[in-house]
Amino acid sequence: MRAMTGNAITLGRLFGIEIRVDVSWVLIFLLVTWDLTSILPQFNAAWSTGTIWALAVLGALLFFLSVLTHELAHSLMARARGISVNSITLFLFGGVASIQREPDSAGSDFLITIVGPLSSMLLGVIFLVLGGVGNAQALLTGNGLVGVSALTAIAVWLGYINLILGVFNLIPGFPLDGGRILRAAVWAVTGSLRTATYWASRIGQAVGWAFIIAGIYMVLGGTVPFFGSGLLGGLWLGFIGWFLQSAARASYQQLAVQDQLHGVPVSWLMRTDVPIVAVDTTVADLVQHVALRSDAHSFPVMRGDQLVGMVTVEEVQRLPRDRWEMTRVDEIMTPQPLAVASVQEDAEQAFTALATRNVDALPVMNNGALVGMLLRRDVLRWLQLHQQSARG
């Protein structure tokens, strides 16, 4: 799956891509670990409770490394097709890669998408081979396993879970990979990304509602092929369905917004009168003489004519009040390198940067000099006016 997310903890970088963990990941990590404590005894009934829990934690961690591999496959293929990737985030539903823009062609969209499920299936085959195909077959047929090593148990489970992950992502429910493959096919036939996204989104919403209905059926005691039955499984399937139909609808709305902003230069929407702050300004002076006299929430911090950072109202609020007089803004600001927009850049690209970076303003530069600020709410206001004009 490819999308964007925020409010995550950064773990580091792989291949130059920032790796993050959203706080919601903790819930699914605990659920996977708990589920494994009931699965692992099937491999070896002699294991102690401590061993089972240790293996469950290890299995959950390796599963999310598998999810990370899936997203890395998307990201590295996107970079190979000339598209920047800002980050990968592990969250409640697995993982998302923050890809900067849509592909230029249906072929690129297909290649970027298909490598994700293929990588999961390849991992599944590798793990099953490592765990022993015979052992895997015994578990699948319900015969049970006794005396199997810990590494074999983890490998067999990871093999099956990666195959399931790969197959599940091929369901044509946009923005799942299967939905994106469907979109690439429609795009190739119609020549229109917007048309393709519209139909993929509608089908994705239908798949989401189907999951919700199936989940309710499971909660009421019914059995759904592949997903089984039960309260917890039904609630989880319904939750996934809700996420899919919401994400499918949002994906089309996002593309519609990008279309409205395409070709609109940042210079049309930027503010040129946003107050700037000298690097040696105290936080108290920033509040009294700048923040209270402006409706802006982010302020450029300058050393002479050079932009050195951005300070926000939120960063001020995190500083205890009794330290405002003695603290300079450069001690709390976000320093360079910053996400910036150029004066002739498409507002579409700048708005994507605002969303991806989860910031409410971007400095606007022209030949290395600060010439204005692009505020998220000004872009949203322009979109609102544009929509009202179109309806009129």
Side-chain angles (χ1 to χ4, degrees), residues 81-141:
R81 307 298 291 185
I83 302 174
S84 298
V85 181
N86 297 310
S87 64
I88 293 172
T89 303
L90 299 179
F91 80 127
L92 181 62
F93 293 100
V96 291
S98 177
I99 295 177
Q100 194 173 63
R101 60 177 175 83
E102 294 287 4
D104 298 321
S105 67
S108 291
D109 199 15
F110 174 78
L111 289 174
I112 293 169
T113 301
I114 194 63
V115 293
L118 289 180
S119 67
S120 293
M121 293 178 184
L122 179 60
L123 278 177
V125 171
I126 291 172
F127 280 123
L128 287 179
V129 170
L130 290 175
V133 177
N135 289 330
Q137 289 175 340
L139 180 66
L140 185 63
T141 56

Short mmCIF file of all heavy atoms in Angstrom, two decimals, residues 81-141:
data_model
loop_
_atom_site.label_atom_id
_atom_site.label_comp_id
_atom_site.label_asym_id
_atom_site.label_seq_id
_atom_site.Cartn_x
_atom_site.Cartn_y
_atom_site.Cartn_z
N ARG A 81 12.12 4.88 -11.00
CA ARG A 81 11.29 5.52 -12.03
C ARG A 81 11.29 7.03 -11.90
O ARG A 81 10.47 7.72 -12.50
CB ARG A 81 9.85 5.00 -11.95
CG ARG A 81 9.69 3.49 -11.99
CD ARG A 81 10.19 2.88 -13.28
NE ARG A 81 9.36 3.23 -14.42
CZ ARG A 81 9.54 2.74 -15.64
NH1 ARG A 81 10.52 1.88 -15.87
NH2 ARG A 81 8.75 3.11 -16.63
N GLY A 82 12.23 7.57 -11.11
CA GLY A 82 12.41 9.01 -11.02
C GLY A 82 11.50 9.73 -10.05
O GLY A 82 11.33 10.95 -10.13
N ILE A 83 10.91 8.99 -9.09
CA ILE A 83 10.00 9.60 -8.12
C ILE A 83 10.63 9.55 -6.73
O ILE A 83 11.06 8.49 -6.28
CB ILE A 83 8.65 8.86 -8.10
CG1 ILE A 83 8.02 8.87 -9.50
CG2 ILE A 83 7.70 9.49 -7.09
CD1 ILE A 83 6.76 8.03 -9.60
N SER A 84 10.68 10.69 -6.07
CA SER A 84 11.28 10.75 -4.74
C SER A 84 10.39 10.07 -3.71
O SER A 84 9.16 10.09 -3.82
CB SER A 84 11.51 12.21 -4.33
OG SER A 84 12.42 12.84 -5.20
N VAL A 85 11.02 9.48 -2.71
CA VAL A 85 10.30 8.84 -1.60
C VAL A 85 10.81 9.46 -0.31
O VAL A 85 12.01 9.42 -0.02
CB VAL A 85 10.52 7.31 -1.58
CG1 VAL A 85 9.75 6.68 -0.43
CG2 VAL A 85 10.10 6.69 -2.91
N ASN A 86 9.91 10.04 0.46
CA ASN A 86 10.32 10.74 1.67
C ASN A 86 10.50 9.80 2.86
O ASN A 86 11.45 9.93 3.62
CB ASN A 86 9.28 11.82 2.03
CG ASN A 86 9.17 12.90 0.97
OD1 ASN A 86 10.18 13.45 0.55
ND2 ASN A 86 7.97 13.19 0.53
N SER A 87 9.58 8.85 3.02
CA SER A 87 9.62 8.04 4.23
C SER A 87 8.78 6.78 4.06
O SER A 87 7.96 6.68 3.15
CB SER A 87 9.12 8.83 5.44
OG SER A 87 7.75 9.17 5.27
N ILE A 88 9.01 5.84 4.97
CA ILE A 88 8.16 4.66 5.13
C ILE A 88 7.71 4.64 6.59
O ILE A 88 8.53 4.81 7.49
CB ILE A 88 8.91 3.37 4.78
CG1 ILE A 88 9.24 3.32 3.29
CG2 ILE A 88 8.11 2.14 5.19
CD1 ILE A 88 10.13 2.16 2.91
N THR A 89 6.42 4.43 6.79
CA THR A 89 5.88 4.42 8.15
C THR A 89 5.17 3.10 8.43
O THR A 89 4.31 2.68 7.65
CB THR A 89 4.89 5.58 8.35
OG1 THR A 89 5.53 6.82 8.05
CG2 THR A 89 4.38 5.60 9.79
N LEU A 90 5.53 2.44 9.52
CA LEU A 90 4.80 1.27 10.01
C LEU A 90 3.67 1.79 10.89
O LEU A 90 3.88 2.59 11.79
CB LEU A 90 5.71 0.36 10.82
CG LEU A 90 6.91 -0.25 10.08
CD1 LEU A 90 7.73 -1.12 11.02
CD2 LEU A 90 6.44 -1.06 8.88
N PHE A 91 2.44 1.32 10.61
CA PHE A 91 1.31 1.81 11.39
C PHE A 91 0.30 0.67 11.56
O PHE A 91 0.63 -0.49 11.34
CB PHE A 91 0.70 3.05 10.75
CG PHE A 91 -0.24 2.79 9.59
CD1 PHE A 91 -1.51 3.33 9.58
CD2 PHE A 91 0.16 2.02 8.50
CE1 PHE A 91 -2.37 3.10 8.51
CE2 PHE A 91 -0.69 1.78 7.43
CZ PHE A 91 -1.97 2.33 7.44
N LEU A 92 -0.91 1.03 12.01
CA LEU A 92 -1.89 0.05 12.44
C LEU A 92 -2.16 -1.02 11.39
O LEU A 92 -2.29 -2.20 11.71
CB LEU A 92 -3.20 0.77 12.79
CG LEU A 92 -4.36 -0.10 13.29
CD1 LEU A 92 -3.97 -0.80 14.59
CD2 LEU A 92 -5.61 0.75 13.48
N PHE A 93 -2.24 -0.64 10.11
CA PHE A 93 -2.61 -1.59 9.06
C PHE A 93 -1.40 -2.15 8.32
O PHE A 93 -1.56 -2.75 7.27
CB PHE A 93 -3.57 -0.92 8.07
CG PHE A 93 -4.89 -0.60 8.68
CD1 PHE A 93 -5.18 0.68 9.10
CD2 PHE A 93 -5.85 -1.59 8.87
CE1 PHE A 93 -6.40 0.98 9.68
CE2 PHE A 93 -7.07 -1.30 9.44
CZ PHE A 93 -7.35 -0.01 9.85
N GLY A 94 -0.21 -1.96 8.85
CA GLY A 94 0.99 -2.53 8.21
C GLY A 94 2.04 -1.48 7.94
O GLY A 94 2.78 -1.10 8.84
N GLY A 95 2.07 -0.99 6.70
CA GLY A 95 3.08 0.00 6.35
C GLY A 95 2.63 0.85 5.18
O GLY A 95 1.82 0.44 4.35
N VAL A 96 3.14 2.08 5.12
CA VAL A 96 2.85 2.99 4.02
C VAL A 96 4.14 3.67 3.58
O VAL A 96 4.98 4.02 4.41
CB VAL A 96 1.80 4.05 4.39
CG1 VAL A 96 0.45 3.44 4.58
CG2 VAL A 96 2.22 4.81 5.63
N ALA A 97 4.32 3.83 2.28
CA ALA A 97 5.45 4.55 1.73
C ALA A 97 4.96 5.91 1.26
O ALA A 97 3.96 6.01 0.54
CB ALA A 97 6.06 3.78 0.55
N SER A 98 5.62 6.97 1.71
CA SER A 98 5.24 8.33 1.33
C SER A 98 5.95 8.69 0.04
O SER A 98 7.08 9.18 0.04
CB SER A 98 5.63 9.31 2.45
OG SER A 98 5.33 10.63 2.07
N ILE A 99 5.29 8.41 -1.09
CA ILE A 99 5.84 8.69 -2.41
C ILE A 99 5.38 10.07 -2.83
O ILE A 99 4.21 10.41 -2.74
CB ILE A 99 5.37 7.61 -3.42
CG1 ILE A 99 5.98 6.26 -2.99
CG2 ILE A 99 5.79 7.95 -4.83
CD1 ILE A 99 5.56 5.09 -3.84
N GLN A 100 6.35 10.89 -3.29
CA GLN A 100 6.13 12.32 -3.44
C GLN A 100 5.04 12.68 -4.44
O GLN A 100 4.31 13.65 -4.26
CB GLN A 100 7.45 13.00 -3.83
CG GLN A 100 7.43 14.51 -3.69
CD GLN A 100 8.80 15.11 -3.93
OE1 GLN A 100 9.37 15.01 -5.01
NE2 GLN A 100 9.36 15.71 -2.90
N ARG A 101 4.91 11.93 -5.53
CA ARG A 101 3.91 12.28 -6.54
C ARG A 101 3.44 11.01 -7.24
O ARG A 101 4.00 9.94 -7.04
CB ARG A 101 4.51 13.24 -7.57
CG ARG A 101 5.72 12.69 -8.32
CD ARG A 101 6.23 13.64 -9.38
NE ARG A 101 7.45 13.17 -10.01
CZ ARG A 101 7.50 12.29 -11.00
NH1 ARG A 101 6.37 11.77 -11.47
NH2 ARG A 101 8.65 11.91 -11.53
N GLU A 102 2.41 11.17 -8.04
CA GLU A 102 1.89 10.04 -8.80
C GLU A 102 2.86 9.72 -9.95
O GLU A 102 3.57 10.60 -10.44
CB GLU A 102 0.51 10.37 -9.38
CG GLU A 102 -0.58 10.56 -8.34
CD GLU A 102 -1.01 9.23 -7.71
OE1 GLU A 102 -0.41 8.18 -8.02
OE2 GLU A 102 -1.94 9.26 -6.88
N PRO A 103 2.88 8.45 -10.39
CA PRO A 103 3.74 8.09 -11.52
C PRO A 103 3.35 8.84 -12.79
O PRO A 103 2.23 9.35 -12.91
CB PRO A 103 3.51 6.58 -11.67
CG PRO A 103 2.98 6.14 -10.35
CD PRO A 103 2.19 7.30 -9.81
N ASP A 104 4.29 8.89 -13.74
CA ASP A 104 4.04 9.60 -15.00
C ASP A 104 3.26 8.77 -16.01
O ASP A 104 2.74 9.31 -16.98
CB ASP A 104 5.38 10.02 -15.63
CG ASP A 104 6.15 10.99 -14.74
OD1 ASP A 104 5.49 11.86 -14.14
OD2 ASP A 104 7.39 10.88 -14.67
N SER A 105 3.18 7.46 -15.82
CA SER A 105 2.53 6.61 -16.80
C SER A 105 1.91 5.40 -16.11
O SER A 105 2.25 5.06 -14.96
CB SER A 105 3.53 6.14 -17.85
OG SER A 105 4.50 5.27 -17.27
N ALA A 106 0.99 4.75 -16.82
CA ALA A 106 0.37 3.54 -16.30
C ALA A 106 1.40 2.45 -16.08
O ALA A 106 1.33 1.68 -15.12
CB ALA A 106 -0.73 3.07 -17.25
N GLY A 107 2.39 2.37 -17.00
CA GLY A 107 3.44 1.35 -16.86
C GLY A 107 4.24 1.54 -15.59
O GLY A 107 4.53 0.56 -14.88
N SER A 108 4.62 2.77 -15.28
CA SER A 108 5.35 3.04 -14.04
C SER A 108 4.51 2.73 -12.82
O SER A 108 5.00 2.17 -11.83
CB SER A 108 5.81 4.51 -14.00
OG SER A 108 6.81 4.77 -14.95
N ASP A 109 3.23 3.10 -12.88
CA ASP A 109 2.32 2.81 -11.76
C ASP A 109 2.25 1.31 -11.51
O ASP A 109 2.31 0.85 -10.36
CB ASP A 109 0.94 3.36 -12.09
CG ASP A 109 0.06 3.53 -10.86
OD1 ASP A 109 0.61 3.50 -9.74
OD2 ASP A 109 -1.16 3.70 -11.01
N PHE A 110 2.15 0.53 -12.58
CA PHE A 110 2.08 -0.92 -12.44
C PHE A 110 3.37 -1.48 -11.84
O PHE A 110 3.33 -2.30 -10.90
CB PHE A 110 1.82 -1.56 -13.81
CG PHE A 110 1.89 -3.06 -13.79
CD1 PHE A 110 0.83 -3.81 -13.31
CD2 PHE A 110 3.03 -3.73 -14.24
CE1 PHE A 110 0.88 -5.20 -13.28
CE2 PHE A 110 3.09 -5.12 -14.21
CZ PHE A 110 2.02 -5.85 -13.73
N LEU A 111 4.53 -1.04 -12.34
CA LEU A 111 5.80 -1.57 -11.85
C LEU A 111 6.03 -1.22 -10.38
O LEU A 111 6.46 -2.06 -9.58
CB LEU A 111 6.95 -1.03 -12.70
CG LEU A 111 7.06 -1.58 -14.12
CD1 LEU A 111 8.16 -0.86 -14.89
CD2 LEU A 111 7.34 -3.09 -14.10
N ILE A 112 5.73 0.03 -10.02
CA ILE A 112 5.91 0.46 -8.63
C ILE A 112 5.02 -0.35 -7.70
O ILE A 112 5.41 -0.69 -6.58
CB ILE A 112 5.63 1.97 -8.50
CG1 ILE A 112 6.69 2.77 -9.26
CG2 ILE A 112 5.59 2.40 -7.04
CD1 ILE A 112 6.35 4.24 -9.40
N THR A 113 3.84 -0.69 -8.18
CA THR A 113 2.86 -1.40 -7.34
C THR A 113 3.16 -2.89 -7.24
O THR A 113 3.16 -3.46 -6.14
CB THR A 113 1.45 -1.20 -7.91
OG1 THR A 113 1.15 0.20 -7.94
CG2 THR A 113 0.42 -1.92 -7.06
N ILE A 114 3.42 -3.54 -8.36
CA ILE A 114 3.49 -5.00 -8.37
C ILE A 114 4.66 -5.54 -7.57
O ILE A 114 4.60 -6.67 -7.05
CB ILE A 114 3.55 -5.53 -9.83
CG1 ILE A 114 3.26 -7.03 -9.87
CG2 ILE A 114 4.89 -5.20 -10.47
CD1 ILE A 114 1.90 -7.42 -9.40
N VAL A 115 5.75 -4.75 -7.44
CA VAL A 115 6.92 -5.27 -6.72
C VAL A 115 6.63 -5.49 -5.24
O VAL A 115 7.30 -6.31 -4.60
CB VAL A 115 8.15 -4.34 -6.89
CG1 VAL A 115 8.63 -4.32 -8.33
CG2 VAL A 115 7.83 -2.92 -6.40
N GLY A 116 5.63 -4.81 -4.69
CA GLY A 116 5.30 -5.01 -3.28
C GLY A 116 4.77 -6.41 -3.00
O GLY A 116 5.36 -7.17 -2.22
N PRO A 117 3.65 -6.80 -3.64
CA PRO A 117 3.15 -8.17 -3.43
C PRO A 117 4.15 -9.24 -3.84
O PRO A 117 4.26 -10.28 -3.17
CB PRO A 117 1.90 -8.22 -4.32
CG PRO A 117 1.47 -6.81 -4.47
CD PRO A 117 2.72 -5.99 -4.45
N LEU A 118 4.90 -9.00 -4.93
CA LEU A 118 5.89 -9.98 -5.36
C LEU A 118 6.97 -10.18 -4.31
O LEU A 118 7.42 -11.31 -4.07
CB LEU A 118 6.52 -9.56 -6.69
CG LEU A 118 5.61 -9.67 -7.93
CD1 LEU A 118 6.38 -9.20 -9.17
CD2 LEU A 118 5.11 -11.10 -8.12
N SER A 119 7.39 -9.09 -3.66
CA SER A 119 8.42 -9.21 -2.62
C SER A 119 7.89 -10.00 -1.43
O SER A 119 8.61 -10.81 -0.84
CB SER A 119 8.90 -7.83 -2.19
OG SER A 119 7.87 -7.12 -1.51
N SER A 120 6.62 -9.78 -1.07
CA SER A 120 6.02 -10.53 0.04
C SER A 120 5.93 -12.02 -0.30
O SER A 120 6.23 -12.88 0.54
CB SER A 120 4.63 -9.98 0.37
OG SER A 120 4.71 -8.67 0.89
N MET A 121 5.51 -12.33 -1.53
CA MET A 121 5.40 -13.73 -1.93
C MET A 121 6.77 -14.40 -1.99
O MET A 121 6.92 -15.56 -1.60
CB MET A 121 4.69 -13.82 -3.29
CG MET A 121 3.24 -13.41 -3.24
SD MET A 121 2.46 -13.47 -4.88
CE MET A 121 0.85 -12.81 -4.50
N LEU A 122 7.77 -13.66 -2.46
CA LEU A 122 9.13 -14.21 -2.50
C LEU A 122 9.63 -14.50 -1.10
O LEU A 122 10.22 -15.56 -0.84
CB LEU A 122 10.06 -13.24 -3.23
CG LEU A 122 11.53 -13.67 -3.32
CD1 LEU A 122 11.66 -14.99 -4.08
CD2 LEU A 122 12.37 -12.58 -4.00
N LEU A 123 9.39 -13.56 -0.18
CA LEU A 123 9.77 -13.80 1.21
C LEU A 123 9.04 -15.02 1.77
O LEU A 123 9.63 -15.83 2.50
CB LEU A 123 9.43 -12.57 2.07
CG LEU A 123 10.42 -11.40 2.07
CD1 LEU A 123 9.87 -10.26 2.91
CD2 LEU A 123 11.78 -11.83 2.59
N GLY A 124 7.75 -15.15 1.42
CA GLY A 124 6.99 -16.30 1.89
C GLY A 124 7.60 -17.61 1.43
O GLY A 124 7.74 -18.56 2.23
N VAL A 125 7.97 -17.69 0.17
CA VAL A 125 8.58 -18.91 -0.36
C VAL A 125 9.92 -19.19 0.32
O VAL A 125 10.22 -20.33 0.71
CB VAL A 125 8.76 -18.79 -1.89
CG1 VAL A 125 9.59 -19.95 -2.42
CG2 VAL A 125 7.40 -18.75 -2.58
N ILE A 126 10.72 -18.15 0.49
CA ILE A 126 12.04 -18.32 1.12
C ILE A 126 11.88 -18.84 2.55
O ILE A 126 12.57 -19.78 2.97
CB ILE A 126 12.81 -16.98 1.11
CG1 ILE A 126 13.22 -16.61 -0.32
CG2 ILE A 126 14.05 -17.07 2.01
CD1 ILE A 126 13.82 -15.23 -0.44
N PHE A 127 10.96 -18.25 3.31
CA PHE A 127 10.77 -18.69 4.70
C PHE A 127 10.24 -20.12 4.76
O PHE A 127 10.65 -20.90 5.63
CB PHE A 127 9.82 -17.74 5.43
CG PHE A 127 10.46 -16.47 5.92
CD1 PHE A 127 9.98 -15.24 5.54
CD2 PHE A 127 11.57 -16.52 6.76
CE1 PHE A 127 10.57 -14.07 6.00
CE2 PHE A 127 12.18 -15.36 7.22
CZ PHE A 127 11.68 -14.13 6.83
N LEU A 128 9.33 -20.49 3.86
CA LEU A 128 8.81 -21.85 3.86
C LEU A 128 9.89 -22.87 3.51
O LEU A 128 9.93 -23.97 4.08
CB LEU A 128 7.64 -21.97 2.88
CG LEU A 128 6.32 -21.31 3.31
CD1 LEU A 128 5.27 -21.48 2.23
CD2 LEU A 128 5.83 -21.88 4.64
N VAL A 129 10.77 -22.49 2.60
CA VAL A 129 11.89 -23.38 2.27
C VAL A 129 12.81 -23.53 3.47
O VAL A 129 13.26 -24.64 3.80
CB VAL A 129 12.65 -22.85 1.04
CG1 VAL A 129 13.95 -23.63 0.83
CG2 VAL A 129 11.78 -22.95 -0.21
N LEU A 130 13.08 -22.42 4.15
CA LEU A 130 13.94 -22.47 5.33
C LEU A 130 13.30 -23.30 6.44
O LEU A 130 13.98 -24.01 7.18
CB LEU A 130 14.22 -21.05 5.84
CG LEU A 130 15.12 -20.18 4.97
CD1 LEU A 130 15.21 -18.77 5.54
CD2 LEU A 130 16.52 -20.78 4.85
N GLY A 131 11.96 -23.19 6.57
CA GLY A 131 11.28 -23.92 7.63
C GLY A 131 11.00 -25.37 7.29
O GLY A 131 10.66 -26.16 8.17
N GLY A 132 11.13 -25.72 6.02
CA GLY A 132 10.86 -27.09 5.61
C GLY A 132 9.44 -27.23 5.11
O GLY A 132 8.49 -27.05 5.88
N VAL A 133 9.28 -27.52 3.83
CA VAL A 133 7.95 -27.61 3.24
C VAL A 133 7.13 -28.71 3.91
O VAL A 133 5.92 -28.58 4.11
CB VAL A 133 8.06 -27.86 1.71
CG1 VAL A 133 6.68 -28.03 1.10
CG2 VAL A 133 8.80 -26.70 1.04
N GLY A 134 7.76 -29.79 4.29
CA GLY A 134 7.05 -30.88 4.96
C GLY A 134 6.45 -30.43 6.27
O GLY A 134 5.30 -30.76 6.60
N ASN A 135 7.21 -29.66 7.05
CA ASN A 135 6.70 -29.13 8.30
C ASN A 135 5.51 -28.20 8.06
O ASN A 135 4.52 -28.22 8.80
CB ASN A 135 7.79 -28.36 9.05
CG ASN A 135 8.86 -29.28 9.61
OD1 ASN A 135 8.57 -30.43 9.95
ND2 ASN A 135 10.08 -28.79 9.71
N ALA A 136 5.62 -27.41 7.01
CA ALA A 136 4.55 -26.48 6.69
C ALA A 136 3.28 -27.24 6.31
O ALA A 136 2.18 -26.88 6.73
CB ALA A 136 4.98 -25.56 5.55
N GLN A 137 3.42 -28.29 5.54
CA GLN A 137 2.26 -29.08 5.14
C GLN A 137 1.60 -29.75 6.34
O GLN A 137 0.37 -29.82 6.43
CB GLN A 137 2.68 -30.13 4.11
CG GLN A 137 3.04 -29.54 2.74
CD GLN A 137 3.56 -30.59 1.78
OE1 GLN A 137 4.00 -31.66 2.20
NE2 GLN A 137 3.52 -30.29 0.49
N ALA A 138 2.41 -30.22 7.27
CA ALA A 138 1.86 -30.86 8.46
C ALA A 138 1.03 -29.88 9.28
O ALA A 138 -0.06 -30.22 9.76
CB ALA A 138 3.00 -31.43 9.32
N LEU A 139 1.53 -28.66 9.40
CA LEU A 139 0.78 -27.65 10.14
C LEU A 139 -0.50 -27.29 9.41
O LEU A 139 -1.57 -27.15 10.00
CB LEU A 139 1.64 -26.40 10.34
CG LEU A 139 0.96 -25.25 11.11
CD1 LEU A 139 0.69 -25.67 12.54
CD2 LEU A 139 1.81 -24.00 11.06
N LEU A 140 -0.42 -27.15 8.07
CA LEU A 140 -1.56 -26.75 7.28
C LEU A 140 -2.68 -27.78 7.35
O LEU A 140 -3.86 -27.45 7.38
CB LEU A 140 -1.14 -26.52 5.82
CG LEU A 140 -2.21 -25.96 4.88
CD1 LEU A 140 -2.64 -24.57 5.33
CD2 LEU A 140 -1.68 -25.92 3.45
N THR A 141 -2.33 -29.05 7.39
CA THR A 141 -3.34 -30.12 7.42
C THR A 141 -3.87 -30.38 8.83
O THR A 141 -4.74 -31.22 9.02
CB THR A 141 -2.76 -31.42 6.85
OG1 THR A 141 -1.57 -31.77 7.59
CG2 THR A 141 -2.40 -31.26 5.38
#
